[in-house]
Amino acid sequence: NTLQQYKEPFYISYFSDNPIPESIIKDYYFIAIDYLMTANVADLHIGKPTSNLIHRIRTERKAHDVNLKLFYISKSERLKMIKPDRLADPHLRFYYLETNDGAIAASGSYSLIDELVLLDNIYTKPKYRRNGFAEILCRKMLFDAKKEGAKQSIIASSEQGRSLYKRLGYED
């Protein structure tokens, strides 16, 4: 098996409108089933950001600070952490949401390549979920991406986040 040569675990994404074939199911461990959603950025319901709770991460120090305050460092959360060594990538933008009392409640990122924006790693700390923080964060990131020239957007959504992205204007 070609995959056995790799010492570190790695992740693949599989998108299909059909059930996952047995040949794939038997060889892989599935972390989650996601939904690939798309949108025309001009059609999204984003408006102008009115919240001053969202901040862009521009320094390694801030990335480390957000990681320490936001994540409990479980295996699944490690995938969502802000990667300080990726801050210099000209296609990536990292954001976080800080509540009025100074707690860091959510983070996310987007990649912008040509006119395509990909929202990624949208994460809200469990005790802050169902308060609209992910929606505020997504609206700000999409607003900024649109200012930078984004025309189309894609996101791989979990079942939990799917209703949020539908409210914003994404479609399966």
Side-chain angles (χ1 to χ4, degrees):
N1 187 336
T2 307
L3 300 178
Q4 292 173 342
Q5 68 182 325
Y6 296 100
K7 295 182 185 346
E8 294 293 321
F10 64 96
Y11 302 90
I12 62 167
S13 296
Y14 175 87
F15 298 102
S16 175
D17 290 334
N18 302 314
I20 301 170
E22 283 296 321
S23 61
I24 292 179
I25 290 175
K26 71 178 183 65
D27 290 331
Y28 295 95
Y29 169 74
F30 286 85
I31 295 174
I33 303 294
D34 288 342
Y35 299 87
L36 185 62
M37 303 180 80
T38 62
N40 180 325
V41 174
D43 296 338
L44 290 173
H45 315 294
I46 52 179
K48 185 173 180 181
T50 57
S51 173
N52 60 353
L53 302 176
I54 309 297
H55 308 280
R56 184 165 164 204
I57 298 169
R58 297 179 186 274
T59 66
E60 287 188 23
R61 181 180 178 134
K62 181 49 80 175
H64 287 295
D65 186 43
V66 169
N67 285 337
L68 287 172
K69 291 180 179 177
L70 186 61
F71 298 104
Y72 299 113
I73 315 301
S74 68
K75 186 176 182 179
S76 63
E77 288 176 333
R78 225 175 287 140
L79 297 173
K80 305 281 186 192
M81 289 179 67
I82 295 132
K83 318 295 188 287
D85 60 321
R86 305 285 313 274
L87 292 172
D89 186 323
H91 302 290
L92 289 174
R93 311 286 183 270
F94 297 91
Y95 291 77
Y96 68 99
L97 184 145
E98 186 172 17
T99 64
N100 288 327
D101 64 356
I104 296 185
S107 69
S109 63
Y110 71 81
S111 303
L112 182 62
I113 300 173
D114 296 325
E115 296 178 342
L116 178 68
V117 62
L118 166 67
L119 295 188
D120 199 14
N121 294 323
I122 310 301
Y123 177 80
T124 304
K125 203 171 193 175
K127 76 179 197 175
Y128 294 104
R129 291 180 182 160
R130 314 298 306 161
N131 288 303
F133 290 146
E135 184 169 349
I136 294 167
L137 179 67
C138 288
R139 287 180 191 279
K140 170 63 172 157
M141 291 192 301
L142 288 165
F143 181 83
D144 287 358
K146 185 176 180 180
K147 282 191 336 188
E148 289 187 76
K151 301 221 184 305
Q152 293 292 316
S153 182
I154 59 173
I155 188 166
S157 172
S158 66
E159 183 65 43
Q160 186 178 4
R162 195 169 174 209
S163 63
L164 161 64
Y165 305 122
K166 283 188 176 269
R167 276 194 317 277
L168 289 172
Y170 284 85
E171 297 176 355
D172 288 328

